Amino acid sequence: MNLPKKYIINAVTVLAVTLFFGCESNFKEVQKINFSEFVPGSDADTVNIKYTDSGRITGVLISRKMLDYSNLEFPFTEFPKGIDVTLYDKKQKRTFIKANYAVSYKQTGIIDLQGKVKITSETGQMLETEQLYFDQKNEWFYTERKFKLTDAKGVSNGQGIDFSKDFKVINSQRITGELEANE
């Protein structure tokens, strides 16, 4: 049986293409073995979470999107569409927090607030910055970024600040602005 040269070349080409794609498929499967997906264990749209301590509300968190990565070795919760938080002290005085983005790290208890962060106390004190950390255990805020602090005494700007959640203790660095002094 003598086949024309054209048929032999076509048969060899089909065989080579089949082997090539067959090997590529196996190669992709081998690559997937060492690939771990970085996907949330759960996600939620429009969340409204109330935090309590001994039956008393200590905080309310509202967000349009929450991604929970508790399935990872270093678990965290991400709020990619921002947060709106109200914190309550023992006398039910409120502190309001808004940020365009937030990440809460479960093991450390640190919350990283980013993008137009604004914190307002019930007495009218307001702090604005681009990034701020909140230590949940110590109820303490801090940043090394530029900030603007407004209160009844005036407006001050600076770089680097840390303060209690009720604004009673404030430590600021490199500040400028006009403030009313107690004589």
Side-chain angles (χ1 to χ4, degrees):
M1 177 169 144
N2 262 346
L3 293 174
K5 194 174 188 182
K6 180 180 174 185
Y7 290 118
I8 294 173
I9 291 175
N10 284 342
V12 170
T13 303
V14 168
L15 182 61
V17 169
T18 303
L19 288 174
F20 175 74
F21 284 113
C23 291
E24 182 179 343
S25 176
N26 289 339
F27 180 68
K28 286 181 181 178
E29 291 300 317
V30 171
Q31 282 181 323
K32 286 181 183 179
I33 291 171
N34 291 325
F35 178 75
S36 65
E37 291 189 40
F38 190 72
V39 295
S42 64
D43 66 52
D45 294 325
T46 314
V47 294
N48 185 336
I49 303 170
K50 292 179 176 53
Y51 298 92
T52 60
D53 182 14
S54 304
R56 181 180 58 83
I57 293 179
T58 58
V60 177
L61 181 145
I62 298 171
S63 180
R64 293 188 338 237
K65 184 74 170 175
M66 181 179 86
L67 303 172
D68 182 37
Y69 292 93
S70 59
N71 55 335
L72 300 177
E73 188 175 330
F74 189 71
F76 64 94
T77 304
E78 180 180 30
F79 301 92
K81 293 187 178 180
I83 61 168
D84 188 350
V85 177
T86 303
L87 298 175
Y88 296 89
D89 69 7
K90 291 180 180 174
K91 296 178 183 176
Q92 293 300 298
K93 289 190 178 176
R94 299 173 295 174
T95 301
F96 307 97
I97 305 165
K98 290 186 181 216
N100 291 345
Y101 175 84
V103 178
S104 176
Y105 298 98
K106 295 188 187 319
Q107 290 177 350
T108 61
I110 301 293
I111 300 174
D112 180 2
L113 305 161
Q114 298 177 26
K116 295 186 181 179
V117 180
K118 184 176 180 181
I119 299 180
T120 309
S121 72
E122 211 171 61
T123 58
Q125 293 168 303
M126 181 174 58
L127 180 109
E128 297 170 273
T129 186
E130 281 303 309
Q131 184 174 28
L132 188 69
Y133 297 98
F134 179 58
D135 180 343
Q136 296 177 79
K137 181 181 175 186
N138 297 310
E139 298 184 333
W140 200 260
F141 290 96
Y142 59 95
T143 187
E144 289 298 320
R145 299 276 180 106
K146 291 182 179 181
F147 69 88
K148 177 182 176 185
L149 178 63
T150 307
D151 63 12
K153 295 180 181 180
V155 176
S156 63
N157 296 289
Q159 187 166 348
I161 189 169
D162 63 287
F163 56 97
S164 59
K165 79 172 185 178
D166 58 5
F167 285 92
K168 287 185 180 175
V169 178
I170 300 173
N171 302 310
S172 55
Q173 304 165 19
R174 293 180 242 146
I175 59 170
T176 60
E178 293 184 24
L179 299 173
E180 183 180 301
N182 293 336
E183 295 186 63

